[in-house]
Amino acid sequence: MSTLNHKSSTRNLYNRTASEWIRGEPSSLSDFTARPFVLELCEPVAGLRVLDIGCGEGYCSRELRRRGAAQVHGIDLSQGMIAAASLQEAEDALGISYEVGCATDLKQFDNGEIDLVVAVFLFNYLTIAQTQECMAEVARILRPGGRFVFSVPHPSFPYMREAAYPFYFQVDGTGYFSKRDQQFPGRIWKRDGSWLNVQLIHKTLEDYFNALKNAGFNTMPILQELRVTPEHIAIDESFFNSLLDQPLHLAIQVSR
Ligand SMILES: C[S@@+](CC[C@H](N)C(=O)[O-])C[C@H]1O[C@@H](n2cnc3c(N)ncnc32)[C@H](O)[C@@H]1O
């Protein structure tokens, strides 16, 4: 599949499903197992100028603003997602701005203009080349000392797990190295029993770290391998238990 087709399949998926993503409190698996940890990695956010790339309907943008960010701007490829984010902003104004845009082209931002760039489950929709383009743009717009925080599905996860509730990417067998840059469908469930269709353009750990290095990030990143914790089990054992002891997501923070 070409890069253009990847983009239009992503745009179509999210335009179709935007309303299913709207939530005011944690609902899907990764709202518990990833986003709280990614947001914590963004701290301290008070007073910062923040860009949320692949902001979706604004779940993380809203939380970053509530945590005291001075400015939050969200961009997303999907008009449906941006409409959903803008509607929530109209109903409960937090002072966040949203626009339709692409992660690989951030030319509306000047060099060094942003303090914190956040990208929560964006890169699983980008090819290796697009990931490199995006990270180069992120490095350009971050001020010296500014931070880049992002989360991705753990690259090993799809190869350690069958396609089953409550989270999977269907890679069909082995191919950790040979299936780089190929796109696979996946599903992630909400605690209410419904699910969200998601996608993965598979990249290895090396692909992510090479992209950071090529973009000019040369400080030591902080890396967290996110998983089901005892606190999750205490909340809802039947939902989280089958994923216990599996590497679900990576959260990475790197400074410019
Ligand atoms: C899994 S959703 C996550 C949304 C949001 N970050 C959250 O945590 O709720 C991925 C989002 O990335 C967006 N996206 C995918 N490719 C993109 C691109 N090239 N540029 C901007 N946004 C993109 C999708 O439209 C979708 O809204």
Side-chain angles (χ1 to χ4, degrees):
M1 199 188 254
S2 76
T3 294
L4 266 182
N5 287 341
H6 283 316
K7 259 196 205 175
S8 62
S9 89
T10 300
R11 194 183 284 116
N12 291 342
L13 169 66
Y14 281 100
N15 282 342
R16 245 186 358 257
T17 59
S19 62
E20 297 165 19
W21 283 83
I22 297 175
R23 72 269 195 217
E25 54 188 34
S27 75
S28 75
L29 178 91
S30 52
D31 287 344
F32 295 88
T33 53
R35 289 181 183 84
F37 302 94
V38 177
L39 289 162
E40 217 34 54
L41 214 43
C42 293
E43 292 287 3
V45 295
L48 300 188
R49 297 160 297 178
V50 178
L51 173 64
D52 183 3
I53 314 179
C55 62
E57 55 71 59
Y59 184 83
C60 297
S61 300
R62 290 189 294 276
E63 184 54 29
L64 290 164
R65 179 75 172 138
R66 289 191 188 111
R67 288 173 179 233
Q71 258 171 243
V72 180
H73 188 72
I75 70 168
D76 199 282
L77 194 62
S78 151
Q79 305 93 309
M81 285 298 225
I82 290 298
S86 304
L87 187 66
Q88 291 175 87
E89 177 64 21
E91 284 169 356
D92 181 10
L94 295 173
I96 304 170
S97 51
Y98 294 105
E99 72 174 314
V100 175
C102 184
T104 54
D105 177 4
L106 304 175
K107 63 173 173 302
Q108 62 273 46
F109 301 100
D110 289 335
N111 296 358
E113 190 188 335
I114 304 290
D115 300 308
L116 171 68
V117 173
V118 180
V120 180
F121 299 115
L122 164 73
F123 292 114
N124 41 307
Y125 296 89
L126 270 54
T127 61
I128 296 168
Q130 289 173 321
T131 298
Q132 295 200 352
E133 282 174 56
C134 174
M135 289 189 180
E137 279 289 80
V138 171
R140 180 184 68 75
I141 66 174
L142 273 177
R143 69 161 166 79
R147 287 172 299 135
F148 179 30
V149 174
F150 64 96
S151 60
V152 291
H154 195 296
S156 303
F157 172 70
Y159 297 97
M160 295 178 68
R161 188 172 166 75
E162 57 182 334
Y165 170 90
F167 181 31
Y168 69 81
F169 291 104
Q170 195 164 2
V171 292
D172 289 329
T174 56
Y176 181 79
F177 292 105
S178 59
K179 289 181 178 168
R180 290 169 65 228
D181 245 359
Q182 291 186 36
Q183 189 180 63
F184 302 99
R187 261 186 199 174
I188 189 160
W189 269 259
K190 302 184 197 177
R191 279 186 60 209
D192 68 7
S194 62
W195 66 80
L196 298 162
N197 287 319
V198 288
Q199 288 172 351
L200 170 71
I201 298 180
H202 172 59
K203 285 170 282 299
T204 64
L205 202 52
E206 195 174 309
D207 292 325
Y208 286 115
F209 279 80
N210 281 342
L212 285 171
K213 185 167 140 247
N214 293 342
F217 287 99
N218 51 23
T219 61
M220 180 79 180
I222 296 172
L223 172 77
Q224 293 178 359
E225 295 183 283
L226 302 177
R227 66 198 76 177
V228 167
T229 65
E231 290 74 24
H232 296 129
I233 299 291
I235 294 170
D236 188 344
E237 185 170 2
S238 64
F239 185 60
F240 293 106
N241 198 43
S242 67
L243 293 170
L244 203 56
D245 216 14
Q246 303 227 350
L248 301 181
H249 331 277
L250 291 180
I252 295 178
Q253 186 213 87
V254 62
S255 295
R256 185 73 179 107

